[in-house]
Amino acid sequence: MNKAWIAVLILAAFAVAEKGMNWNSNSPIFCTGRQQQRESYEESTMLLQYWGIVMTADELADRCGPGQEIDNRRCGSRAAASECVMERFLEQNTVPGRPHLSVRNMTGMKLAEIYGKYIRRGIPVMIWSEFEETAVCRMMIGGNSDCYFFSEPDAVQGMIRYSKAEMKAAYEKLGRQAVALIPENNEI
């Protein structure tokens, strides 16, 4: 990844960090009703904010349709739940001046493949991982030969690094769950 892209990603992480988002989620891995739905809305705001669609989890829930619940038949994983939320939002809302986006669920893909196919091309990806028996959702934004970089509002520099081996193990504990928003006309 060239230095210009790294600078853009770091600036995006700072911009989102200023909004006070907390993307860490300490919840069960599988859908458990309203709590899981709430977390799916919170997690989905990550990628939406990256693409300039800034709103709270409550605003996202309202714009997806008040009182509608996530289809629990599709909600077998955290990635599937967030995919449902973002698909519903994108189907029901147009955002003037923003690129047309589509949701891509990459569950099952290897982390190195996600990095090479999406992250290196400037497309951030939501990654679910497990550290110390806690499920965590973070937005992967970059990497180098040793580490992957994640946007982290609570970190001093707006991002956090994990060794590739450490993140691979944590990612695989939750069944390789990942989701991204892909801009229209992208050949990925």
Side-chain angles (χ1 to χ4, degrees):
M1 182 178 298
N2 67 35
K3 291 179 182 180
W5 270 111
I6 292 172
V8 167
L9 293 172
I10 291 171
L11 287 173
F14 280 123
V16 173
E18 287 179 5
K19 307 235 184 291
M21 287 298 299
N22 180 1
W23 299 334
N24 296 335
S25 180
N26 301 321
S27 69
I29 296 169
F30 299 104
C31 291
T32 57
R34 294 194 187 283
Q35 176 66 23
Q36 178 62 38
Q37 290 178 28
R38 170 83 181 152
E39 289 164 356
S40 296
Y41 288 116
E42 289 172 353
E43 293 166 350
S44 297
T45 61
M46 256 192 285
L47 287 176
L48 292 169
Q49 286 189 11
Y50 177 85
W51 292 106
I53 305 168
V54 179
M55 66 183 71
T56 66
D58 290 333
E59 291 167 333
L60 178 58
D62 289 344
R63 298 213 24 209
C64 284
Q68 293 186 15
E69 295 188 7
I70 297 169
D71 181 353
N72 283 324
R73 289 170 292 177
R74 286 190 63 200
C75 192
S77 69
R78 306 236 345 229
S82 289
E83 176 188 16
C84 290
V85 166
M86 288 186 285
E87 280 179 350
R88 185 178 303 143
F89 172 78
L90 294 171
E91 288 170 2
Q92 297 179 8
N93 297 275
T94 57
V95 182
R98 301 287 181 231
H100 177 75
L101 301 166
S102 63
V103 182
R104 183 153 316 153
N105 188 330
M106 295 171 267
T107 296
M109 285 181 74
K110 293 180 179 179
L111 207 51
E113 185 179 357
I114 289 171
Y115 176 75
K117 192 170 183 179
Y118 298 95
I119 305 303
R120 289 182 55 112
R121 293 181 180 172
I123 296 174
V125 177
M126 285 178 19
I127 302 287
W128 283 265
S129 53
E130 183 178 319
F131 291 95
E132 299 175 11
E133 299 183 26
T134 300
V136 178
C137 178
R138 290 205 169 96
M139 187 168 67
M140 187 175 184
I141 59 170
N144 61 25
S145 60
D146 301 318
C147 300
Y148 292 121
F149 308 148
F150 295 83
S151 181
E152 178 61 60
D154 296 331
V156 173
Q157 296 178 339
M159 74 176 178
I160 190 167
R161 299 171 186 231
Y162 289 100
S163 74
K164 288 186 174 183
E166 178 184 19
M167 182 48 77
K168 179 182 178 223
Y171 173 65
E172 290 181 354
K173 282 183 184 179
L174 291 187
R176 295 181 179 177
Q177 297 180 58
V179 174
L181 288 174
I182 309 296
E184 187 176 63
N185 301 326
N186 199 307
E187 296 181 14
I188 294 179

Coordinates of all heavy atoms in Angstrom, one line a residue, residues 90-91 93-95 97-102 181-186:
L90 N -29.5 0.4 2.8 CA -29.2 0.8 1.4 C -30.4 0.6 0.5 O -30.5 1.4 -0.4 CB -28.0 0.0 0.9 CG -26.7 0.3 1.7 CD1 -25.6 -0.7 1.2 CD2 -26.2 1.7 1.4
E91 N -31.2 -0.4 0.7 CA -32.4 -0.6 -0.1 C -33.4 0.6 0.1 O -34.2 1.0 -0.8 CB -33.1 -1.9 0.2 CG -32.3 -3.1 -0.3 CD -32.9 -4.4 0.3 OE1 -33.9 -4.4 1.0 OE2 -32.3 -5.5 -0.1
N93 N -32.9 3.7 1.5 CA -32.4 5.1 1.7 C -31.4 5.4 0.6 O -30.5 4.6 0.3 CB -31.6 5.3 3.0 CG -32.6 5.1 4.2 OD1 -33.2 6.0 4.6 ND2 -32.6 3.9 4.7
T94 N -31.5 6.6 0.0 CA -30.5 7.1 -1.0 C -29.9 8.2 -0.3 O -30.5 9.0 0.5 CB -31.1 7.5 -2.3 OG1 -32.1 8.5 -2.0 CG2 -31.8 6.4 -3.0
V95 N -28.6 8.3 -0.5 CA -27.8 9.4 0.2 C -27.2 10.3 -0.9 O -26.3 9.8 -1.6 CB -26.7 8.8 1.1 CG1 -26.0 9.9 1.8 CG2 -27.3 7.9 2.1
G97 N -25.0 12.6 -3.1 CA -23.6 12.9 -3.1 C -22.7 11.8 -2.6 O -21.5 12.0 -2.5
R98 N -23.3 10.6 -2.3 CA -22.5 9.5 -1.8 C -22.5 8.4 -2.9 O -23.5 8.3 -3.6 CB -23.1 8.9 -0.5 CG -23.1 9.9 0.6 CD -21.7 10.2 1.1 NE -21.9 11.1 2.2 CZ -21.2 12.2 2.3 NH1 -20.3 12.5 1.4 NH2 -21.3 13.1 3.3
P99 N -21.4 7.6 -3.0 CA -21.4 6.5 -4.0 C -22.4 5.5 -3.7 O -22.8 5.3 -2.5 CB -20.0 5.9 -3.8 CG -19.5 6.3 -2.4 CD -20.2 7.6 -2.1
H100 N -23.0 4.8 -4.7 CA -23.9 3.7 -4.5 C -23.0 2.6 -4.0 O -22.0 2.3 -4.5 CB -24.5 3.3 -5.8 CG -25.4 2.1 -5.7 ND1 -26.7 2.2 -5.0 CD2 -25.2 0.8 -6.0 CE1 -27.2 1.0 -5.0 NE2 -26.4 0.2 -5.6
L101 N -23.5 2.0 -2.9 CA -22.7 0.9 -2.2 C -23.5 -0.4 -2.2 O -24.7 -0.3 -2.2 CB -22.4 1.4 -0.7 CG -21.6 2.6 -0.6 CD1 -21.7 3.1 0.9 CD2 -20.2 2.4 -1.0
S102 N -22.8 -1.5 -2.2 CA -23.4 -2.8 -2.0 C -22.7 -3.5 -0.9 O -21.5 -3.3 -0.6 CB -23.4 -3.6 -3.3 OG -22.1 -3.8 -3.7
L181 N -18.6 -2.8 2.6 CA -19.4 -2.0 1.7 C -18.5 -1.7 0.5 O -17.4 -1.2 0.6 CB -19.9 -0.7 2.3 CG -21.0 -0.9 3.4 CD1 -21.3 0.5 4.0 CD2 -22.2 -1.4 2.8
I182 N -19.0 -2.1 -0.7 CA -18.2 -2.0 -1.9 C -18.9 -0.9 -2.8 O -20.1 -1.0 -3.1 CB -18.2 -3.3 -2.7 CG1 -17.8 -4.5 -1.8 CG2 -17.3 -3.2 -3.9 CD1 -16.4 -4.4 -1.3
P183 N -18.1 0.1 -3.2 CA -18.6 1.2 -4.1 C -19.0 0.6 -5.5 O -18.4 -0.3 -6.0 CB -17.5 2.2 -4.2 CG -16.4 1.7 -3.4 CD -16.7 0.4 -2.9
E184 N -20.1 1.1 -6.0 CA -20.5 0.7 -7.4 C -19.4 0.9 -8.4 O -18.6 1.8 -8.2 CB -21.7 1.6 -7.8 CG -22.4 1.2 -9.0 CD -23.6 2.0 -9.3 OE1 -23.5 3.2 -9.5 OE2 -24.7 1.4 -9.3
N185 N -19.4 0.1 -9.4 CA -18.4 0.1 -10.4 C -17.0 -0.3 -10.0 O -16.0 0.0 -10.6 CB -18.3 1.5 -11.1 CG -19.6 1.9 -11.7 OD1 -20.4 1.0 -12.2 ND2 -19.9 3.2 -11.7
N186 N -16.9 -0.9 -8.8 CA -15.6 -1.4 -8.4 C -15.5 -2.9 -8.9 O -16.4 -3.7 -8.7 CB -15.6 -1.4 -6.8 CG -14.2 -1.5 -6.3 OD1 -13.4 -2.4 -6.7 ND2 -13.8 -0.6 -5.5

